[in-house]
Amino acid sequence: MSILIKNARVITASEDYRADLYIEGETVHSIGKDLSVNADQVIDATGKIVFPGGIDPHVHLQMPFMGTWSSDSYETGTLAALHGGTTTVIDFVLQTQGKSLRHALDAWRGRSDGNCYGDYSFHIAVTDFNADTRKEIVQMIKEEGITSFKTFMAYKGALMIDDGQMVDLMQEVKRHGGLVTVHATNGDMIDKLIAKHRAEGKLSPLYHYFSQPEVTEAEASARFADMAHYTGVSAYIVHLTCQGALDAVRRATLRNQRVLVETCIQYLLLDASLYEQNPDGAKWVMSPPLRQKKDQEALWAGINQGLVQVVGTDHCPFNWEQKMMGKDDFSKIPNGHPAIEHRMELLWSEGVHTGRISPNKYVELTSANAAQIFGMYPKKGCIAPGSDADLVIFDPNEQHALSAKTHHMNVDYSAYEGWKVQGKCKTVILRGRVAIDNGKVGVEKGYGAFVGR
Ligand code: URP
Ligand code: ZN
Ligand code: ZN
């Protein structure tokens, strides 16, 4: 199968030019002006932009969490991602405390393998670092292609590790050349505040926000950066939300340390005033919570200052009925919100179209940097001969509105209901096959492949 894309404006993390692209099999074969080749399919991209397929390095599909399961399966989640221009996702395997990493990986791959439309990879969350887990780190890296290890500084009793385990894990991961990522919030402080609010009968979604003030994230981010500096491990903070945490990262640069940072689309676009709605505020109950407008400004600035490298989603959807498990107590609302389908279009519309970021920065944030940080570059995250032909053909002139009535995620509300978006992912190509064309699906379940790193 071969595809010739004619008259494209090609945008990568570093370039912006007009060319034709010739795809043969799963990869980009050649790029040039007025290519004259015979192809099975010719796509005229006049007036459109072609950029690398998105990589969302933070999703939770079909994940057991807070007494229920995130509502998108690998099938529905990766298909929704493709509709929105994301061709690869990195999901999180969660170790069960007391059990092995292998046990968790087998369970996760049992759910994912053969069920994905789009490409996928895994981070593994180490929730119980001990002598046995230590031995598994090198196996995960060398045998399973999993090089990034997630840690939680919150969710005590289920996912959280203490600082001693963190330092031990960092040393082991460094020894084998991997990366430690973190959910950086102070779990003990948060648990205290949750208990206080519950004891005072303050149970609405707004108290989810008040239970995780900025200091809980700023403190944990600084502590994580310090431990990473001490051990010398490569470090990455997931879903960073606020000015205080970003300042901790900025301070780390003063000692020539680089702490990599991911924020998520919701933290750039939504703010904590949404929690004043009761019960609707439950739609945005996630951890860390949405912050203030000054934090959004700090994040946009942090992007352009090079402090924030990645915009993900932390896609972790729950249906309204699931959210209502916490109708009488915010602490029982399953944490997470749906966004896997909308990240690319929202970031273009609110970032590039508004002039906040350049088109090249957009590619950095949505694919190129994640590919480099997580060891998928130049297979993914760029447009070059030999790279996977993962491409989005994007119409910057088409406007549309987001709605639960039209989205493809398996969730019965939209966190962005009625939002007007400038620009649409018209055609999405994954490893040389047209996966989405004008909303029509061209690949089958199981086409999505595991990406070992
Ligand atoms: O609220 C969130 N973020 N849910 C998913 C789990 C996590 O902390 O990333
Ligand atoms: Zn988290
Ligand atoms: Zn997450």
Side-chain angles (χ1 to χ4, degrees):
M1 181 71 190
S2 59
I3 303 174
L4 178 63
I5 304 175
K6 298 285 292 173
N7 309 313
R9 176 181 167 199
V10 180
I11 301 179
T12 66
S14 56
E15 291 165 312
D16 189 340
Y17 57 90
R18 289 191 187 274
D20 298 344
L21 300 167
Y22 178 58
I23 299 164
E24 209 173 68
E26 295 199 350
T27 57
V28 174
H29 178 278
S30 41
I31 305 171
K33 289 256 186 260
D34 302 321
L35 288 183
S36 109
V37 279
N38 287 322
D40 298 322
Q41 186 179 356
V42 178
I43 300 174
D44 183 6
T46 302
K48 309 230 175 46
I49 293 169
V50 176
F51 48 71
I55 299 173
D56 187 342
H58 193 150
V59 307
H60 302 277
L61 301 175
Q62 211 173 332
M63 179 179 79
F65 191 56
M66 293 185 72
T68 184
W69 290 75
S70 59
S71 60
D72 259 319
S73 64
Y74 288 88
E75 179 180 340
T76 60
T78 57
L79 184 55
L82 285 176
H83 276 284
T86 291
T87 46
T88 303
V89 299
I90 314 184
D91 188 78
F92 291 85
V93 174
L94 304 184
Q95 178 191 18
T96 301
Q97 293 182 340
K99 300 212 165 123
S100 66
L101 299 183
R102 166 75 47 198
H103 177 267
L105 179 60
D106 287 349
W108 257 257
R109 291 209 62 163
R111 294 194 283 274
S112 61
D113 291 4
N115 289 323
C116 290
Y117 279 86
D119 284 359
Y120 63 104
S121 192
F122 285 115
H123 313 279
I124 193 153
V126 179
T127 63
D128 187 2
F129 190 70
N130 54 44
D132 295 329
T133 326
R134 179 185 293 279
K135 293 190 202 115
E136 293 192 278
I137 297 296
V138 65
Q139 291 168 15
M140 291 295 137
I141 295 176
K142 300 272 192 267
E143 293 165 24
E144 303 298 338
I146 297 178
T147 55
S148 42
F149 297 87
K150 168 80 176 289
T151 58
F152 289 90
M153 296 169 84
Y155 303 121
K156 200 171 192 168
L159 302 172
M160 179 170 154
I161 57 171
D162 64 28
D163 291 351
Q165 289 177 302
M166 179 72 87
V167 168
D168 281 350
L169 171 68
M170 284 177 163
Q171 286 170 336
E172 190 63 16
V173 171
K174 179 182 162 56
R175 191 167 298 132
H176 302 291
L179 175 75
V180 173
T181 80
V182 69
H183 170 126
T185 61
N186 185 316
D188 286 331
M189 282 175 80
I190 292 167
D191 288 347
K192 267 259 172 275
L193 285 166
I194 292 173
K196 173 179 178 293
H197 289 134
R198 293 179 73 203
E200 292 168 354
K202 295 172 173 165
L203 299 168
S204 72
L206 184 60
Y207 288 91
H208 171 75
Y209 170 64
F210 286 136
S211 298
Q212 300 201 32
E214 182 176 9
V215 63
T216 59
E217 190 178 339
E219 185 281 329
S221 300
R223 185 158 36 102
F224 175 77
D226 284 346
M227 291 186 282
H229 186 247
Y230 170 71
T231 58
V233 77
S234 298
Y236 176 102
I237 300 178
V238 307
H239 57 38
L240 184 143
T241 70
C242 58
Q243 190 175 20
L246 199 59
D247 283 345
V249 172
R250 200 186 314 274
R251 282 196 303 278
T253 67
L254 300 178
R255 59 190 173 200
N256 204 19
Q257 181 189 9
R258 188 147 198 247
V259 178
L260 299 159
V261 172
E262 162 202 289
T263 189
C264 296
I265 191 71
Q266 59 271 28
Y267 300 118
L268 291 165
L269 304 185
L270 307 176
D271 70 74
S273 60
L274 290 165
Y275 295 125
E276 285 160 21
Q277 301 174 35
N278 191 12
D280 269 29
K283 291 176 181 168
W284 299 280
V285 164
M286 64 187 84
S287 292
L290 300 172
R291 302 288 186 194
Q292 298 174 24
K293 292 217 184 300
K294 60 109 180 144
D295 298 298
Q296 295 177 358
E297 290 316 314
L299 292 175
W300 284 111
I303 283 173
N304 283 320
Q305 291 158 356
L307 286 172
V308 177
Q309 289 81 26
V310 174
V311 175
T313 58
D314 194 6
H315 177 73
C316 191
F318 297 99
N319 281 305
W320 185 241
E321 193 186 353
Q322 295 174 289
K323 286 285 188 183
M324 285 300 91
M325 287 162 65
K327 69 178 169 11
D328 299 322
D329 178 353
F330 69 87
S331 72
K332 298 199 165 52
I333 301 169
N335 285 201
H337 107 306
I340 202 168
E341 186 169 349
H342 300 320
R343 174 186 70 125
M344 302 286 285
E345 290 176 349
L346 278 172
L347 190 64
W348 182 277
S349 187
E350 297 293 325
V352 182
H353 180 67
T354 58
R356 283 177 170 130
I357 58 171
S358 72
N360 298 117
K361 179 62 84 175
Y362 173 82
V363 175
E364 276 187 37
L365 295 169
T366 55
S367 64
N369 286 348
Q372 293 189 15
I373 292 167
F374 295 110
M376 293 189 266
Y377 195 87
K379 178 178 165 66
K380 309 275 187 200
C382 75
I383 301 177
S387 294
D388 280 2
D390 296 353
L391 303 168
V392 178
I393 304 178
F394 186 78
D395 184 350
N397 297 313
E398 184 166 332
Q399 296 178 337
H400 61 115
L402 306 183
S403 172
K405 293 194 188 74
T406 49
H407 73 204
H408 301 85
M409 298 176 287
N410 184 38
V411 56
D412 56 6
Y413 73 90
S414 174
Y416 304 90
E417 188 65 42
W419 275 55
K420 305 267 184 311
V421 174
Q422 178 74 37
K424 187 153 182 55
C425 299
K426 298 296 289 180
T427 305
V428 180
I429 297 174
L430 171 59
R431 280 181 291 104
R433 283 185 61 189
V434 175
I436 303 291
D437 191 29
N438 255 320
K440 285 221 330 258
V441 181
V443 289
E444 59 288 346
K445 180 172 116 170
Y447 181 64
F450 177 76
V451 184
R453 300 179 284 115

